Amino acid sequence: MTDAGGRGMMGDLRFSWELSGTGRATYRISDGTSESTDIVSYCTDALSDLLYAVAGLYEAADAQRVSFDLEPAETRWRLRRHGADVEITIYRFPDMTTSWNAPDGEGTRRWNSTQPRAELGHVVVEAAETVLRLHGEAGYRKKWSEHDFPSAALDDLRRLHRRDDECRHGNCQVNADS
C-alpha cells in the first residue's frame, strides 16, 4: 500500500525516498509519533546501501549500519534485530570525514523506533519501487548522477521480504515464490 505521497505504509511506519535535485535525495521516516528527515548526497550509493542493510536483517546479521553523506555531516542508521522486530536508531555526526569509524555514541541520537522487520522491509521496498516508477532507471541515473538505480539490491530485498514475511499486499503479491 502506498499513500498519495509515494510513502510505503503498513502500520504506523512510513518511509519515503525522493530525488530532490541532481545528486540529492530526501528521505523521511516516521512512526506516527516522531519523524526524521535528511537530504542525502550522491557521494555514496545511499539507496543501494539502505536496501542491502535492510536485506541483511533477513540473513544472519543481527545488526546493520548505513551512513548517508550530508556534505559535510553524516547521518548513520543503526538497525538492530530483536526477534521479529528491528530497532532503528538514527545518529547525526557533524563531519563525515572524521566520523566514519566513530562509535555510534559519539553522534547525536536524532530518532529511534522499534518496528516489525516485516514493516521496515515493506516500506523500504515500496519507497524504492516508487522512485523507480517515477524516474525509471535512466532518469534515476541522470538525477543521481554517480550511481545506477540499485535494481539488484531492490530485487534481493523484495525476494527476502516476500519469502520471510509472506507479504501479500501492494507490489509484493506478484510472484511470491521468486
Side-chain angles (χ1 to χ4, degrees), residues 8-46:
M9 298 187 306
M10 280 180 65
D12 289 334
L13 185 64
R14 292 190 170 111
F15 178 72
S16 65
W17 188 275
E18 299 170 7
L19 299 182
S20 53
T22 302
R24 298 278 183 258
T26 301
Y27 80 76
R28 285 180 182 79
I29 188 166
S30 66
D31 62 3
T33 302
S34 62
E35 175 180 280
S36 181
T37 185
D38 276 306
I39 299 173
V40 303
S41 164
Y42 67 97
C43 292
T44 63
D45 198 359

PDB file of all heavy atoms in Angstrom, residues 8-46:
ATOM      1  N   GLY A   8       5.497   4.286   1.526  1.00  0.00           N
ATOM      2  CA  GLY A   8       5.034   2.948   1.835  1.00  0.00           C
ATOM      3  C   GLY A   8       4.434   2.927   3.227  1.00  0.00           C
ATOM      4  O   GLY A   8       4.936   3.574   4.134  1.00  0.00           O
ATOM      5  N   MET A   9       3.332   2.189   3.414  1.00  0.00           N
ATOM      6  CA  MET A   9       2.681   2.141   4.722  1.00  0.00           C
ATOM      7  C   MET A   9       2.193   0.726   4.995  1.00  0.00           C
ATOM      8  O   MET A   9       1.761   0.036   4.103  1.00  0.00           O
ATOM      9  CB  MET A   9       1.454   3.052   4.756  1.00  0.00           C
ATOM     10  CG  MET A   9       1.742   4.495   4.548  1.00  0.00           C
ATOM     11  SD  MET A   9       0.283   5.504   4.798  1.00  0.00           S
ATOM     12  CE  MET A   9      -0.906   4.767   3.717  1.00  0.00           C
ATOM     13  N   MET A  10       2.249   0.304   6.216  1.00  0.00           N
ATOM     14  CA  MET A  10       1.558  -0.894   6.683  1.00  0.00           C
ATOM     15  C   MET A  10       0.841  -0.515   7.972  1.00  0.00           C
ATOM     16  O   MET A  10      -0.354  -0.487   8.028  1.00  0.00           O
ATOM     17  CB  MET A  10       2.534  -2.044   6.924  1.00  0.00           C
ATOM     18  CG  MET A  10       2.936  -2.769   5.673  1.00  0.00           C
ATOM     19  SD  MET A  10       4.078  -4.106   5.999  1.00  0.00           S
ATOM     20  CE  MET A  10       3.101  -5.228   6.968  1.00  0.00           C
ATOM     21  N   GLY A  11       1.607  -0.233   9.010  1.00  0.00           N
ATOM     22  CA  GLY A  11       1.053   0.228  10.280  1.00  0.00           C
ATOM     23  C   GLY A  11       1.348   1.708  10.387  1.00  0.00           C
ATOM     24  O   GLY A  11       0.999   2.480   9.518  1.00  0.00           O
ATOM     25  N   ASP A  12       2.017   2.071  11.483  1.00  0.00           N
ATOM     26  CA  ASP A  12       2.370   3.473  11.677  1.00  0.00           C
ATOM     27  C   ASP A  12       3.675   3.862  10.987  1.00  0.00           C
ATOM     28  O   ASP A  12       3.967   5.046  10.846  1.00  0.00           O
ATOM     29  CB  ASP A  12       2.489   3.785  13.166  1.00  0.00           C
ATOM     30  CG  ASP A  12       1.134   3.774  13.858  1.00  0.00           C
ATOM     31  OD1 ASP A  12       0.116   4.012  13.175  1.00  0.00           O
ATOM     32  OD2 ASP A  12       1.106   3.532  15.068  1.00  0.00           O
ATOM     33  N   LEU A  13       4.484   2.895  10.577  1.00  0.00           N
ATOM     34  CA  LEU A  13       5.775   3.209   9.975  1.00  0.00           C
ATOM     35  C   LEU A  13       5.578   3.711   8.552  1.00  0.00           C
ATOM     36  O   LEU A  13       4.887   3.094   7.743  1.00  0.00           O
ATOM     37  CB  LEU A  13       6.681   1.970   9.966  1.00  0.00           C
ATOM     38  CG  LEU A  13       8.112   2.223   9.474  1.00  0.00           C
ATOM     39  CD1 LEU A  13       8.853   3.182  10.419  1.00  0.00           C
ATOM     40  CD2 LEU A  13       8.862   0.905   9.348  1.00  0.00           C
ATOM     41  N   ARG A  14       6.206   4.852   8.284  1.00  0.00           N
ATOM     42  CA  ARG A  14       6.171   5.441   6.941  1.00  0.00           C
ATOM     43  C   ARG A  14       7.587   5.789   6.545  1.00  0.00           C
ATOM     44  O   ARG A  14       8.392   6.229   7.370  1.00  0.00           O
ATOM     45  CB  ARG A  14       5.302   6.692   6.934  1.00  0.00           C
ATOM     46  CG  ARG A  14       3.859   6.376   7.155  1.00  0.00           C
ATOM     47  CD  ARG A  14       2.998   7.595   6.897  1.00  0.00           C
ATOM     48  NE  ARG A  14       1.604   7.200   6.886  1.00  0.00           N
ATOM     49  CZ  ARG A  14       0.739   7.533   7.809  1.00  0.00           C
ATOM     50  NH1 ARG A  14       1.106   8.281   8.818  1.00  0.00           N
ATOM     51  NH2 ARG A  14      -0.508   7.126   7.725  1.00  0.00           N
ATOM     52  N   PHE A  15       7.889   5.597   5.268  1.00  0.00           N
ATOM     53  CA  PHE A  15       9.212   5.904   4.750  1.00  0.00           C
ATOM     54  C   PHE A  15       9.079   6.367   3.315  1.00  0.00           C
ATOM     55  O   PHE A  15       8.323   5.796   2.539  1.00  0.00           O
ATOM     56  CB  PHE A  15      10.122   4.669   4.810  1.00  0.00           C
ATOM     57  CG  PHE A  15      11.489   4.916   4.236  1.00  0.00           C
ATOM     58  CD1 PHE A  15      12.403   5.713   4.919  1.00  0.00           C
ATOM     59  CD2 PHE A  15      11.847   4.388   3.017  1.00  0.00           C
ATOM     60  CE1 PHE A  15      13.657   5.964   4.382  1.00  0.00           C
ATOM     61  CE2 PHE A  15      13.104   4.628   2.474  1.00  0.00           C
ATOM     62  CZ  PHE A  15      14.011   5.417   3.158  1.00  0.00           C
ATOM     63  N   SER A  16       9.805   7.422   2.968  1.00  0.00           N
ATOM     64  CA  SER A  16       9.845   7.874   1.579  1.00  0.00           C
ATOM     65  C   SER A  16      11.277   8.237   1.207  1.00  0.00           C
ATOM     66  O   SER A  16      12.087   8.591   2.062  1.00  0.00           O
ATOM     67  CB  SER A  16       8.924   9.081   1.358  1.00  0.00           C
ATOM     68  OG  SER A  16       9.378  10.204   2.083  1.00  0.00           O
ATOM     69  N   TRP A  17      11.560   8.096  -0.073  1.00  0.00           N
ATOM     70  CA  TRP A  17      12.851   8.448  -0.652  1.00  0.00           C
ATOM     71  C   TRP A  17      12.539   9.178  -1.944  1.00  0.00           C
ATOM     72  O   TRP A  17      11.968   8.604  -2.864  1.00  0.00           O
ATOM     73  CB  TRP A  17      13.656   7.180  -0.949  1.00  0.00           C
ATOM     74  CG  TRP A  17      15.062   7.453  -1.361  1.00  0.00           C
ATOM     75  CD1 TRP A  17      15.502   7.742  -2.628  1.00  0.00           C
ATOM     76  CD2 TRP A  17      16.215   7.467  -0.530  1.00  0.00           C
ATOM     77  NE1 TRP A  17      16.856   7.933  -2.624  1.00  0.00           N
ATOM     78  CE2 TRP A  17      17.312   7.758  -1.347  1.00  0.00           C
ATOM     79  CE3 TRP A  17      16.419   7.254   0.834  1.00  0.00           C
ATOM     80  CZ2 TRP A  17      18.606   7.842  -0.846  1.00  0.00           C
ATOM     81  CZ3 TRP A  17      17.698   7.329   1.321  1.00  0.00           C
ATOM     82  CH2 TRP A  17      18.776   7.626   0.488  1.00  0.00           C
ATOM     83  N   GLU A  18      12.870  10.465  -1.988  1.00  0.00           N
ATOM     84  CA  GLU A  18      12.527  11.273  -3.151  1.00  0.00           C
ATOM     85  C   GLU A  18      13.774  11.946  -3.692  1.00  0.00           C
ATOM     86  O   GLU A  18      14.506  12.601  -2.941  1.00  0.00           O
ATOM     87  CB  GLU A  18      11.499  12.339  -2.770  1.00  0.00           C
ATOM     88  CG  GLU A  18      10.202  11.760  -2.259  1.00  0.00           C
ATOM     89  CD  GLU A  18       9.275  12.808  -1.665  1.00  0.00           C
ATOM     90  OE1 GLU A  18       9.572  14.024  -1.772  1.00  0.00           O
ATOM     91  OE2 GLU A  18       8.246  12.412  -1.094  1.00  0.00           O
ATOM     92  N   LEU A  19      14.001  11.783  -4.993  1.00  0.00           N
ATOM     93  CA  LEU A  19      15.098  12.503  -5.633  1.00  0.00           C
ATOM     94  C   LEU A  19      14.704  13.967  -5.652  1.00  0.00           C
ATOM     95  O   LEU A  19      13.642  14.329  -6.156  1.00  0.00           O
ATOM     96  CB  LEU A  19      15.342  11.979  -7.047  1.00  0.00           C
ATOM     97  CG  LEU A  19      15.736  10.504  -7.134  1.00  0.00           C
ATOM     98  CD1 LEU A  19      15.988  10.108  -8.590  1.00  0.00           C
ATOM     99  CD2 LEU A  19      16.953  10.189  -6.282  1.00  0.00           C
ATOM    100  N   SER A  20      15.531  14.798  -5.045  1.00  0.00           N
ATOM    101  CA  SER A  20      15.152  16.197  -4.837  1.00  0.00           C
ATOM    102  C   SER A  20      16.036  17.168  -5.608  1.00  0.00           C
ATOM    103  O   SER A  20      16.031  18.342  -5.331  1.00  0.00           O
ATOM    104  CB  SER A  20      15.171  16.522  -3.332  1.00  0.00           C
ATOM    105  OG  SER A  20      16.403  16.167  -2.753  1.00  0.00           O
ATOM    106  N   GLY A  21      16.782  16.672  -6.552  1.00  0.00           N
ATOM    107  CA  GLY A  21      17.660  17.501  -7.363  1.00  0.00           C
ATOM    108  C   GLY A  21      18.814  16.642  -7.840  1.00  0.00           C
ATOM    109  O   GLY A  21      18.932  15.477  -7.474  1.00  0.00           O
ATOM    110  N   THR A  22      19.670  17.205  -8.639  1.00  0.00           N
ATOM    111  CA  THR A  22      20.800  16.442  -9.139  1.00  0.00           C
ATOM    112  C   THR A  22      21.720  16.069  -7.981  1.00  0.00           C
ATOM    113  O   THR A  22      22.222  16.928  -7.264  1.00  0.00           O
ATOM    114  CB  THR A  22      21.578  17.246 -10.200  1.00  0.00           C
ATOM    115  OG1 THR A  22      20.675  17.574 -11.254  1.00  0.00           O
ATOM    116  CG2 THR A  22      22.735  16.434 -10.754  1.00  0.00           C
ATOM    117  N   GLY A  23      21.884  14.770  -7.790  1.00  0.00           N
ATOM    118  CA  GLY A  23      22.759  14.280  -6.728  1.00  0.00           C
ATOM    119  C   GLY A  23      22.221  14.460  -5.323  1.00  0.00           C
ATOM    120  O   GLY A  23      22.975  14.391  -4.359  1.00  0.00           O
ATOM    121  N   ARG A  24      20.920  14.635  -5.178  1.00  0.00           N
ATOM    122  CA  ARG A  24      20.306  14.821  -3.860  1.00  0.00           C
ATOM    123  C   ARG A  24      19.040  13.971  -3.753  1.00  0.00           C
ATOM    124  O   ARG A  24      18.298  13.816  -4.703  1.00  0.00           O
ATOM    125  CB  ARG A  24      19.891  16.283  -3.634  1.00  0.00           C
ATOM    126  CG  ARG A  24      21.047  17.257  -3.655  1.00  0.00           C
ATOM    127  CD  ARG A  24      21.733  17.278  -2.299  1.00  0.00           C
ATOM    128  NE  ARG A  24      22.790  18.247  -2.269  1.00  0.00           N
ATOM    129  CZ  ARG A  24      24.076  17.957  -2.367  1.00  0.00           C
ATOM    130  NH1 ARG A  24      24.465  16.721  -2.541  1.00  0.00           N
ATOM    131  NH2 ARG A  24      25.001  18.886  -2.300  1.00  0.00           N
ATOM    132  N   ALA A  25      18.820  13.455  -2.559  1.00  0.00           N
ATOM    133  CA  ALA A  25      17.578  12.745  -2.259  1.00  0.00           C
ATOM    134  C   ALA A  25      17.147  13.133  -0.852  1.00  0.00           C
ATOM    135  O   ALA A  25      17.987  13.353   0.023  1.00  0.00           O
ATOM    136  CB  ALA A  25      17.777  11.236  -2.355  1.00  0.00           C
ATOM    137  N   THR A  26      15.863  13.210  -0.651  1.00  0.00           N
ATOM    138  CA  THR A  26      15.309  13.490   0.663  1.00  0.00           C
ATOM    139  C   THR A  26      14.618  12.229   1.165  1.00  0.00           C
ATOM    140  O   THR A  26      13.796  11.657   0.452  1.00  0.00           O
ATOM    141  CB  THR A  26      14.284  14.636   0.597  1.00  0.00           C
ATOM    142  OG1 THR A  26      14.925  15.797   0.079  1.00  0.00           O
ATOM    143  CG2 THR A  26      13.694  14.928   1.969  1.00  0.00           C
ATOM    144  N   TYR A  27      15.008  11.788   2.354  1.00  0.00           N
ATOM    145  CA  TYR A  27      14.268  10.677   2.959  1.00  0.00           C
ATOM    146  C   TYR A  27      13.494  11.214   4.151  1.00  0.00           C
ATOM    147  O   TYR A  27      13.881  12.188   4.792  1.00  0.00           O
ATOM    148  CB  TYR A  27      15.194   9.516   3.379  1.00  0.00           C
ATOM    149  CG  TYR A  27      15.921   9.731   4.682  1.00  0.00           C
ATOM    150  CD1 TYR A  27      15.270   9.610   5.913  1.00  0.00           C
ATOM    151  CD2 TYR A  27      17.270  10.071   4.703  1.00  0.00           C
ATOM    152  CE1 TYR A  27      15.933   9.819   7.110  1.00  0.00           C
ATOM    153  CE2 TYR A  27      17.941  10.273   5.890  1.00  0.00           C
ATOM    154  CZ  TYR A  27      17.258  10.149   7.090  1.00  0.00           C
ATOM    155  OH  TYR A  27      17.916  10.365   8.269  1.00  0.00           O
ATOM    156  N   ARG A  28      12.382  10.536   4.408  1.00  0.00           N
ATOM    157  CA  ARG A  28      11.576  10.800   5.602  1.00  0.00           C
ATOM    158  C   ARG A  28      11.193   9.446   6.183  1.00  0.00           C
ATOM    159  O   ARG A  28      10.743   8.569   5.456  1.00  0.00           O
ATOM    160  CB  ARG A  28      10.300  11.559   5.250  1.00  0.00           C
ATOM    161  CG  ARG A  28      10.515  13.001   4.944  1.00  0.00           C
ATOM    162  CD  ARG A  28       9.195  13.712   4.594  1.00  0.00           C
ATOM    163  NE  ARG A  28       9.459  15.093   4.258  1.00  0.00           N
ATOM    164  CZ  ARG A  28       9.925  15.512   3.095  1.00  0.00           C
ATOM    165  NH1 ARG A  28      10.174  14.652   2.147  1.00  0.00           N
ATOM    166  NH2 ARG A  28      10.140  16.792   2.871  1.00  0.00           N
ATOM    167  N   ILE A  29      11.365   9.316   7.477  1.00  0.00           N
ATOM    168  CA  ILE A  29      10.913   8.125   8.172  1.00  0.00           C
ATOM    169  C   ILE A  29      10.145   8.590   9.399  1.00  0.00           C
ATOM    170  O   ILE A  29      10.582   9.515  10.094  1.00  0.00           O
ATOM    171  CB  ILE A  29      12.075   7.164   8.523  1.00  0.00           C
ATOM    172  CG1 ILE A  29      11.513   5.832   9.075  1.00  0.00           C
ATOM    173  CG2 ILE A  29      13.091   7.816   9.451  1.00  0.00           C
ATOM    174  CD1 ILE A  29      12.531   4.706   9.132  1.00  0.00           C
ATOM    175  N   SER A  30       8.981   7.985   9.616  1.00  0.00           N
ATOM    176  CA  SER A  30       8.180   8.362  10.779  1.00  0.00           C
ATOM    177  C   SER A  30       7.454   7.130  11.299  1.00  0.00           C
ATOM    178  O   SER A  30       7.240   6.165  10.575  1.00  0.00           O
ATOM    179  CB  SER A  30       7.182   9.469  10.431  1.00  0.00           C
ATOM    180  OG  SER A  30       6.214   8.995   9.524  1.00  0.00           O
ATOM    181  N   ASP A  31       7.090   7.208  12.572  1.00  0.00           N
ATOM    182  CA  ASP A  31       6.411   6.085  13.208  1.00  0.00           C
ATOM    183  C   ASP A  31       5.073   6.484  13.825  1.00  0.00           C
ATOM    184  O   ASP A  31       4.539   5.776  14.666  1.00  0.00           O
ATOM    185  CB  ASP A  31       7.312   5.452  14.271  1.00  0.00           C
ATOM    186  CG  ASP A  31       7.667   6.401  15.403  1.00  0.00           C
ATOM    187  OD1 ASP A  31       7.180   7.557  15.429  1.00  0.00           O
ATOM    188  OD2 ASP A  31       8.444   5.984  16.283  1.00  0.00           O
ATOM    189  N   GLY A  32       4.528   7.591  13.408  1.00  0.00           N
ATOM    190  CA  GLY A  32       3.271   8.060  13.966  1.00  0.00           C
ATOM    191  C   GLY A  32       3.448   8.941  15.190  1.00  0.00           C
ATOM    192  O   GLY A  32       2.532   9.632  15.600  1.00  0.00           O
ATOM    193  N   THR A  33       4.643   8.915  15.774  1.00  0.00           N
ATOM    194  CA  THR A  33       4.949   9.734  16.940  1.00  0.00           C
ATOM    195  C   THR A  33       5.968  10.807  16.598  1.00  0.00           C
ATOM    196  O   THR A  33       5.839  11.952  17.003  1.00  0.00           O
ATOM    197  CB  THR A  33       5.500   8.857  18.083  1.00  0.00           C
ATOM    198  OG1 THR A  33       4.536   7.855  18.386  1.00  0.00           O
ATOM    199  CG2 THR A  33       5.792   9.682  19.320  1.00  0.00           C
ATOM    200  N   SER A  34       7.005  10.412  15.864  1.00  0.00           N
ATOM    201  CA  SER A  34       8.061  11.355  15.506  1.00  0.00           C
ATOM    202  C   SER A  34       8.573  11.030  14.112  1.00  0.00           C
ATOM    203  O   SER A  34       8.264   9.978  13.546  1.00  0.00           O
ATOM    204  CB  SER A  34       9.202  11.299  16.528  1.00  0.00           C
ATOM    205  OG  SER A  34       9.779  10.005  16.523  1.00  0.00           O
ATOM    206  N   GLU A  35       9.366  11.961  13.571  1.00  0.00           N
ATOM    207  CA  GLU A  35       9.849  11.844  12.200  1.00  0.00           C
ATOM    208  C   GLU A  35      11.303  12.278  12.124  1.00  0.00           C
ATOM    209  O   GLU A  35      11.745  13.134  12.889  1.00  0.00           O
ATOM    210  CB  GLU A  35       9.005  12.734  11.287  1.00  0.00           C
ATOM    211  CG  GLU A  35       9.482  12.779   9.851  1.00  0.00           C
ATOM    212  CD  GLU A  35       8.630  13.671   8.974  1.00  0.00           C
ATOM    213  OE1 GLU A  35       7.550  13.212   8.549  1.00  0.00           O
ATOM    214  OE2 GLU A  35       9.031  14.826   8.728  1.00  0.00           O
ATOM    215  N   SER A  36      12.029  11.680  11.194  1.00  0.00           N
ATOM    216  CA  SER A  36      13.377  12.130  10.867  1.00  0.00           C
ATOM    217  C   SER A  36      13.437  12.332   9.365  1.00  0.00           C
ATOM    218  O   SER A  36      12.881  11.546   8.591  1.00  0.00           O
ATOM    219  CB  SER A  36      14.410  11.080  11.288  1.00  0.00           C
ATOM    220  OG  SER A  36      15.721  11.539  10.986  1.00  0.00           O
ATOM    221  N   THR A  37      14.107  13.390   8.952  1.00  0.00           N
ATOM    222  CA  THR A  37      14.264  13.673   7.530  1.00  0.00           C
ATOM    223  C   THR A  37      15.636  14.267   7.295  1.00  0.00           C
ATOM    224  O   THR A  37      16.173  14.988   8.152  1.00  0.00           O
ATOM    225  CB  THR A  37      13.151  14.619   7.015  1.00  0.00           C
ATOM    226  OG1 THR A  37      13.269  14.764   5.614  1.00  0.00           O
ATOM    227  CG2 THR A  37      13.190  15.967   7.691  1.00  0.00           C
ATOM    228  N   ASP A  38      16.223  13.937   6.162  1.00  0.00           N
ATOM    229  CA  ASP A  38      17.515  14.492   5.769  1.00  0.00           C
ATOM    230  C   ASP A  38      17.594  14.562   4.259  1.00  0.00           C
ATOM    231  O   ASP A  38      16.893  13.834   3.553  1.00  0.00           O
ATOM    232  CB  ASP A  38      18.674  13.606   6.259  1.00  0.00           C
ATOM    233  CG  ASP A  38      19.073  13.897   7.693  1.00  0.00           C
ATOM    234  OD1 ASP A  38      19.348  15.067   8.000  1.00  0.00           O
ATOM    235  OD2 ASP A  38      19.105  12.947   8.491  1.00  0.00           O
ATOM    236  N   ILE A  39      18.467  15.421   3.782  1.00  0.00           N
ATOM    237  CA  ILE A  39      18.794  15.485   2.360  1.00  0.00           C
ATOM    238  C   ILE A  39      20.169  14.871   2.201  1.00  0.00           C
ATOM    239  O   ILE A  39      21.145  15.385   2.744  1.00  0.00           O
ATOM    240  CB  ILE A  39      18.767  16.939   1.841  1.00  0.00           C
ATOM    241  CG1 ILE A  39      17.368  17.521   2.027  1.00  0.00           C
ATOM    242  CG2 ILE A  39      19.197  16.979   0.373  1.00  0.00           C
ATOM    243  CD1 ILE A  39      17.276  19.007   1.715  1.00  0.00           C
ATOM    244  N   VAL A  40      20.224  13.739   1.494  1.00  0.00           N
ATOM    245  CA  VAL A  40      21.468  12.991   1.356  1.00  0.00           C
ATOM    246  C   VAL A  40      22.101  13.258  -0.008  1.00  0.00           C
ATOM    247  O   VAL A  40      21.431  13.638  -0.954  1.00  0.00           O
ATOM    248  CB  VAL A  40      21.263  11.481   1.591  1.00  0.00           C
ATOM    249  CG1 VAL A  40      20.666  11.233   2.959  1.00  0.00           C
ATOM    250  CG2 VAL A  40      20.395  10.868   0.530  1.00  0.00           C
ATOM    251  N   SER A  41      23.403  13.012  -0.068  1.00  0.00           N
ATOM    252  CA  SER A  41      24.203  13.303  -1.248  1.00  0.00           C
ATOM    253  C   SER A  41      24.534  12.033  -2.022  1.00  0.00           C
ATOM    254  O   SER A  41      24.604  10.936  -1.462  1.00  0.00           O
ATOM    255  CB  SER A  41      25.500  13.981  -0.807  1.00  0.00           C
ATOM    256  OG  SER A  41      26.455  13.956  -1.832  1.00  0.00           O
ATOM    257  N   TYR A  42      24.799  12.210  -3.305  1.00  0.00           N
ATOM    258  CA  TYR A  42      25.190  11.124  -4.191  1.00  0.00           C
ATOM    259  C   TYR A  42      26.621  10.641  -3.945  1.00  0.00           C
ATOM    260  O   TYR A  42      27.070   9.708  -4.614  1.00  0.00           O
ATOM    261  CB  TYR A  42      25.063  11.563  -5.653  1.00  0.00           C
ATOM    262  CG  TYR A  42      26.055  12.633  -6.045  1.00  0.00           C
ATOM    263  CD1 TYR A  42      27.247  12.293  -6.680  1.00  0.00           C
ATOM    264  CD2 TYR A  42      25.810  13.972  -5.788  1.00  0.00           C
ATOM    265  CE1 TYR A  42      28.172  13.264  -7.039  1.00  0.00           C
ATOM    266  CE2 TYR A  42      26.715  14.940  -6.136  1.00  0.00           C
ATOM    267  CZ  TYR A  42      27.893  14.586  -6.763  1.00  0.00           C
ATOM    268  OH  TYR A  42      28.808  15.556  -7.114  1.00  0.00           O
ATOM    269  N   CYS A  43      27.323  11.212  -2.985  1.00  0.00           N
ATOM    270  CA  CYS A  43      28.710  10.808  -2.721  1.00  0.00           C
ATOM    271  C   CYS A  43      28.803   9.350  -2.289  1.00  0.00           C
ATOM    272  O   CYS A  43      29.874   8.748  -2.375  1.00  0.00           O
ATOM    273  CB  CYS A  43      29.351  11.716  -1.670  1.00  0.00           C
ATOM    274  SG  CYS A  43      29.602  13.387  -2.292  1.00  0.00           S
ATOM    275  N   THR A  44      27.708   8.792  -1.796  1.00  0.00           N
ATOM    276  CA  THR A  44      27.637   7.356  -1.535  1.00  0.00           C
ATOM    277  C   THR A  44      26.456   6.814  -2.335  1.00  0.00           C
ATOM    278  O   THR A  44      25.594   7.568  -2.784  1.00  0.00           O
ATOM    279  CB  THR A  44      27.430   7.039  -0.040  1.00  0.00           C
ATOM    280  OG1 THR A  44      26.170   7.572   0.372  1.00  0.00           O
ATOM    281  CG2 THR A  44      28.551   7.608   0.813  1.00  0.00           C
ATOM    282  N   ASP A  45      26.412   5.523  -2.505  1.00  0.00           N
ATOM    283  CA  ASP A  45      25.299   4.877  -3.198  1.00  0.00           C
ATOM    284  C   ASP A  45      24.196   4.625  -2.164  1.00  0.00           C
ATOM    285  O   ASP A  45      23.867   3.488  -1.831  1.00  0.00           O
ATOM    286  CB  ASP A  45      25.793   3.588  -3.852  1.00  0.00           C
ATOM    287  CG  ASP A  45      24.855   3.085  -4.925  1.00  0.00           C
ATOM    288  OD1 ASP A  45      23.791   3.714  -5.162  1.00  0.00           O
ATOM    289  OD2 ASP A  45      25.174   2.043  -5.529  1.00  0.00           O
ATOM    290  N   ALA A  46      23.635   5.701  -1.663  1.00  0.00           N
ATOM    291  CA  ALA A  46      22.808   5.700  -0.459  1.00  0.00           C
ATOM    292  C   ALA A  46      21.607   4.763  -0.518  1.00  0.00           C
ATOM    293  O   ALA A  46      21.385   3.985   0.417  1.00  0.00           O
ATOM    294  CB  ALA A  46      22.358   7.128  -0.151  1.00  0.00           C
TER     295      ALA A  46
END
